[in-house]
Amino acid sequence: MQQPYEPPADTSAGGDRTGRGGRAARVLVVDDDPTVAEVVSGYLDRAGYVVDRAGDGPTALAGAATHWPDLVVLDLMLPGMDGLEVCRRMRERGPVPVIMLTARGDEDDRILGLEVGADDYVTKPFSPRELVLRVESVLRRTRTTAGERPLDAVGLTVDPAARRATKNGAELALTLREFDLLAFFLRHPGRAYGREDLMREVWGWDFGDLSTVTVHVRRLRNKVEDDPARPRLIQTVWGVGYRFDPAGPSGPSGQGEE
């Protein structure tokens, strides 16, 4: 994104910018374009976040090791180590929400980011104000809910407060958004939801690319189904969307990757 620097607007009204322990949330901005990094950091700082910056992958990983962020805004096209590799390496260290920035509108790029665990993506050029709202949305969705009881069905257990999920006692390696999606399904068994419904209820978006939902459902099936190619728990309801059915398929509602 090449655009003139805009002085940050006052975006501090509304929203919850707290991170772990009640402190201000820390956001790591990783972009090799100084103008983009300055604009994004300025808006996030004005919104009340603690902002760290890095211009390449190794610097980002070193900074995260020193001050682990509550969220990362990560450019896909970085010199040397690209954003996909940075995201993979951060995921190996621990769970952290990631919003991927891409200069290209190609669907393959967006899906690649989601496949490695990005929780959201924004295509350049973008509105810095919109990015701040996306940051708020992701942080709000990933914050634990105190006092919420664990959910369980057919060997799956989800503990929203601990952000922990297991299958038959074995820990599931879920991204933060996959966790939210599984928890939603367990809260609403037997009901079919369209992709628009899931985007609104799980992502908190009223609009967006519905392939985001498709990719996350596919990734979640790969982790919770005994045979992801023939899913029994997260079923496709053709013409509608998806249904979580602890009893397994009862009819030709549809299976497969959609």
Side-chain angles (χ1 to χ4, degrees), residues 79-98:
M81 184 189 301
D82 66 20
L84 297 176
E85 182 62 23
V86 174
C87 187
R88 289 190 189 97
R89 295 194 186 190
M90 284 194 170
R91 294 294 190 194
E92 291 173 356
R93 296 183 179 185
V96 60
V98 173

Side-chain angles (χ1 to χ4, degrees), residues 29-96:
V29 177
V30 188
D31 200 304
D32 64 316
D33 185 327
T35 301
V36 173
E38 182 179 3
V39 171
V40 171
S41 298
Y43 271 80
L44 291 170
D45 178 75
R46 182 69 172 173
Y49 296 101
V50 175
V51 183
D52 298 318
R53 285 171 53 176
D56 56 52
T59 303
L61 294 173
T66 302
H67 298 291
W68 190 252
D70 295 293
L71 182 142
V72 181
V73 177
L74 178 61
D75 187 25
L76 176 65
M77 302 300 293
L78 293 172
M81 184 189 301
D82 66 20
L84 297 176
E85 182 62 23
V86 174
C87 187
R88 289 190 189 97
R89 295 194 186 190
M90 284 194 170
R91 294 294 190 194
E92 291 173 356
R93 296 183 179 185
V96 60

Side-chain angles (χ1 to χ4, degrees), residues 8-204:
D10 185 358
T11 56
S12 58
D16 185 353
R17 281 89 179 186
T18 56
R20 292 179 293 271
R23 58 167 174 73
R26 181 180 292 273
V27 178
L28 174 60
V29 177
V30 188
D31 200 304
D32 64 316
D33 185 327
T35 301
V36 173
E38 182 179 3
V39 171
V40 171
S41 298
Y43 271 80
L44 291 170
D45 178 75
R46 182 69 172 173
Y49 296 101
V50 175
V51 183
D52 298 318
R53 285 171 53 176
D56 56 52
T59 303
L61 294 173
T66 302
H67 298 291
W68 190 252
D70 295 293
L71 182 142
V72 181
V73 177
L74 178 61
D75 187 25
L76 176 65
M77 302 300 293
L78 293 172
M81 184 189 301
D82 66 20
L84 297 176
E85 182 62 23
V86 174
C87 187
R88 289 190 189 97
R89 295 194 186 190
M90 284 194 170
R91 294 294 190 194
E92 291 173 356
R93 296 183 179 185
V96 60
V98 173
I99 296 178
M100 195 77 76
L101 303 180
T102 174
R104 295 176 292 183
D106 187 80
E107 184 177 358
D108 290 342
D109 289 333
R110 299 196 298 268
I111 291 178
L112 271 176
L114 296 172
E115 290 282 8
V116 299
D119 297 275
D120 196 358
Y121 66 87
V122 176
T123 302
K124 298 179 182 178
F126 57 85
S127 162
R129 293 181 179 88
E130 178 189 353
L131 180 59
V132 171
L133 293 176
R134 294 290 188 98
V135 168
E136 292 176 2
S137 174
V138 171
L139 286 174
R140 183 171 59 250
R141 291 280 168 171
T142 56
R143 193 166 291 117
T144 60
T145 303
E148 186 170 359
R149 296 181 178 179
L151 309 162
D152 59 83
V154 291
L156 294 170
T157 300
V158 171
D159 186 341
R163 301 293 295 186
R164 183 171 182 263
T166 61
K167 177 182 177 181
N168 299 326
E171 187 114 14
L172 292 171
L174 302 180
T175 67
L176 296 170
R177 197 66 80 179
E178 290 164 4
F179 182 95
D180 291 340
L181 184 59
L182 179 59
F184 181 82
F185 279 138
L186 263 65
R187 291 187 188 103
H188 305 282
R191 178 174 173 181
Y193 287 91
R195 292 189 299 172
E196 296 91 344
D197 299 323
L198 292 172
M199 181 163 282
R200 181 174 58 253
E201 297 294 335
V202 178
W203 276 258

